[in-house]
Amino acid sequence: MNLFRLLGLFFALFQVTGCDSKQAPSQNGREEKIGISVPEAPNLVAHPSEKPVPPLKLDVPTAMPEQLDGKNLTKMNEGELLTRANLAMGKEDYTKAAAYQYWYVQKSKTGQYNLACFLAQIGKTDAAFYWLQLAAIEEGVDTAHAERDEDLVSLRRDSRWGKVRQYLGDCNRYFESAPTSRTVVILPKGYQNSKPITAVVWLHGLGSRPEDFANDGCREHADALNVAIIGVSGTKARGPRSFVWAENVEQDGKRLRDALEEASAQVTIKKGQIITFGFSQGAQVGLEVAARYPEEYAGAIVLSPGARSNLNSIKPSSLLSMRGFVLCCGAEEHPGNVMLTANDADWLRRAKAKIIHKPYPGVSAHSFPADFDERFPEWIKFILKAQGE
């Protein structure tokens, strides 16, 4: 397995109601683990034209301990700090998790949201509010997620939460109105734009960004399969490095079309050979866009879907009988993810699509499957074969 996946895929698990692992490092609000998402709270004010100002004037928190478990945290590299923070979080040892996460934030200048969560868990309320406010403007925090995150219960009980919640919403609207969308194109070695090739469109999870998968680490897949891998940022910006999907087929479908049009300056995509590939929120969105527009998409790879389902609002096209879909999740993941994966598979079977549905036995991590590097080429070939390629 690639080094980037050994690190990145481990960390994404710690992204949502606990901190997710295995999509790629992005601790901007923890990937959701449930199959049904909470609707976004209504806008309270119009899009602010100026960067919002934090409502709580708090002193910079005291530094966390430099020494822990016989190690000097200031000497550790970012990857080791993040790994230890996530392991401690998994054991619900939030005191250790906060210490490791604090020094990770000092080195990487990211990860403030999870630091706020860990501090809230150990009763350091002012420090948690400080880092949450900083995360909102420097990383991006999805307001709807913050309002349901179990780690922030103590902050939501604080009388100051109303002001902070307003600030989070203002930050969301500020970044939504800013030109922050991203489209990343990874091409096979030696590719010439005159030759049409298959495109695999990566849809990240909640609060993440396209570079978490669409980077030099996945270039070997582009080379081996002779495909373009196109990473697309979610429909709604939550910060400079954080995006979410609208969970609306028309809006998200338009976002993908806009990104593909942007990518057309670098790659010529073979007609009908666009495959969506997503994780968690992005997985469900990619599936629904591919199912809604089978004249444009060859199918989808769906890993641990976690979002509101809109499939029942889609009228199945006869073209779906020549489209392929791969749906995977850990058999021991959150029941919402497992049920959503199964329901998606059932809908596709009724639509007569060709599918692979694989719950991985004994796997509870909300993550890429351990055999992803081996299976990914097989899945691409399965989807293309479904349409006679």
Side-chain angles (χ1 to χ4, degrees):
M1 183 176 285
N2 296 338
L3 177 61
F4 93 97
R5 204 172 321 285
L6 283 171
L7 296 176
L9 300 190
F10 178 77
F11 298 146
L13 168 72
F14 301 87
Q15 276 183 317
V16 180
T17 10
C19 261
D20 275 319
S21 147
K22 266 195 181 173
Q23 170 200 317
S26 171
Q27 291 197 333
N28 300 340
R30 300 164 171 191
E31 190 61 54
E32 73 287 358
K33 293 183 181 179
I34 56 176
I36 301 174
S37 64
V38 176
E40 185 175 352
N43 288 353
L44 301 180
V45 296
H47 290 284
S49 59
E50 297 183 358
K51 184 177 290 190
V53 177
L56 306 185
K57 309 305 179 185
L58 300 169
D59 292 335
V60 177
T62 304
M64 298 294 286
E66 296 182 8
Q67 300 289 329
L68 187 60
D69 296 331
K71 297 182 181 294
N72 187 332
L73 277 58
T74 67
K75 303 296 183 184
M76 287 185 183
N77 62 40
E78 295 175 15
E80 185 177 4
L81 287 165
L82 188 54
T83 298
R84 289 177 179 272
N86 289 335
L87 289 173
M89 184 280 307
K91 296 176 181 177
E92 298 187 359
D93 187 342
Y94 294 106
T95 299
K96 282 188 177 181
Y100 286 120
Q101 187 75 15
Y102 173 84
W103 290 106
Y104 170 72
V105 169
Q106 297 308 304
K107 288 176 178 284
S108 68
K109 307 305 178 186
T110 189
Q112 294 99 323
Y113 180 85
N114 277 6
L115 178 55
C117 289
F118 299 152
L119 291 167
Q121 285 279 16
I122 60 176
K124 293 185 178 292
T125 303
D126 280 2
F129 271 129
Y130 174 90
W131 290 109
L132 180 61
Q133 289 186 146
L134 198 61
I137 203 65
E138 291 191 358
E139 290 183 312
V141 173
D142 183 64
T143 305
H145 176 74
E147 289 197 299
R148 67 178 184 264
D149 193 334
E150 295 176 3
D151 290 338
L152 300 182
V153 168
S154 63
L155 301 193
R156 294 196 293 272
R157 290 173 177 165
D158 190 285
S159 61
R160 296 171 290 179
W161 174 256
K163 292 180 179 179
V164 174
R165 186 253 173 261
Q166 174 72 56
Y167 172 68
L168 298 181
D170 287 346
C171 288
N172 284 178
R173 290 181 286 276
Y174 171 75
F175 285 111
E176 277 187 33
S177 64
T180 55
S181 63
R182 302 172 185 233
T183 303
V184 180
V185 181
I186 306 295
L187 298 171
K189 186 177 181 180
Y191 172 73
Q192 299 295 321
N193 197 3
S194 59
K195 184 176 181 180
I197 59 174
T198 299
V200 178
V201 181
W202 164 246
L203 290 82
H204 58 74
L206 183 147
S208 190
R209 56 181 177 170
E211 294 91 338
D212 287 339
F213 179 83
N215 55 45
D216 284 341
C218 70
R219 192 175 298 279
E220 65 183 58
H221 288 306
D223 292 343
L225 296 167
N226 192 39
V227 300
I229 295 177
I230 303 173
V232 182
S233 58
T235 307
K236 298 182 178 183
R238 287 292 177 256
R241 301 188 298 272
S242 176
F243 301 86
V244 301
W245 299 94
E247 297 185 11
N248 175 289
V249 179
E250 286 71 28
Q251 292 178 31
D252 293 326
K254 181 181 184 304
R255 171 71 192 109
L256 294 189
R257 288 191 197 95
D258 290 345
L260 290 168
E261 177 62 27
E262 183 180 349
S264 67
Q266 301 178 59
V267 58
T268 299
I269 300 172
K270 199 169 185 179
K271 184 175 176 59
Q273 289 201 5
I274 304 171
I275 298 171
T276 65
F277 163 43
F279 177 77
S280 202
Q281 189 193 37
Q284 187 66 21
V285 168
L287 163 62
E288 293 179 5
V289 170
R292 172 66 177 79
Y293 304 108
E295 66 280 5
E296 301 176 43
Y297 294 90
I301 297 172
V302 183
L303 301 185
S304 298
R308 178 179 58 237
S309 176
N310 296 295
L311 274 181
N312 288 333
S313 68
I314 298 173
K315 182 179 179 181
S317 164
S318 60
L319 285 175
L320 288 173
S321 66
M322 296 184 292
R323 298 294 181 263
F325 296 83
V326 177
L327 304 98
C328 300
C329 70
E332 306 300 324
E333 280 194 57
H334 189 286
N337 295 101
V338 177
M339 183 180 297
L340 181 59
T341 307
N343 289 344
D344 287 343
D346 287 343
W347 188 93
L348 290 166
R349 287 190 189 97
R350 292 194 298 272
K352 304 189 184 308
K354 295 177 174 63
I355 73 166
I356 293 173
H357 174 210
K358 184 173 182 179
Y360 279 77
V363 176
S364 60
H366 185 60
S367 63
F368 275 38
D371 61 353
F372 171 80
D373 283 329
E374 293 74 30
R375 300 284 84 81
F376 185 61
E378 297 175 8
W379 295 339
I380 297 295
K381 292 173 184 176
F382 167 79
I383 291 172
L384 295 179
K385 185 178 179 181
Q387 57 178 195
E389 295 295 335

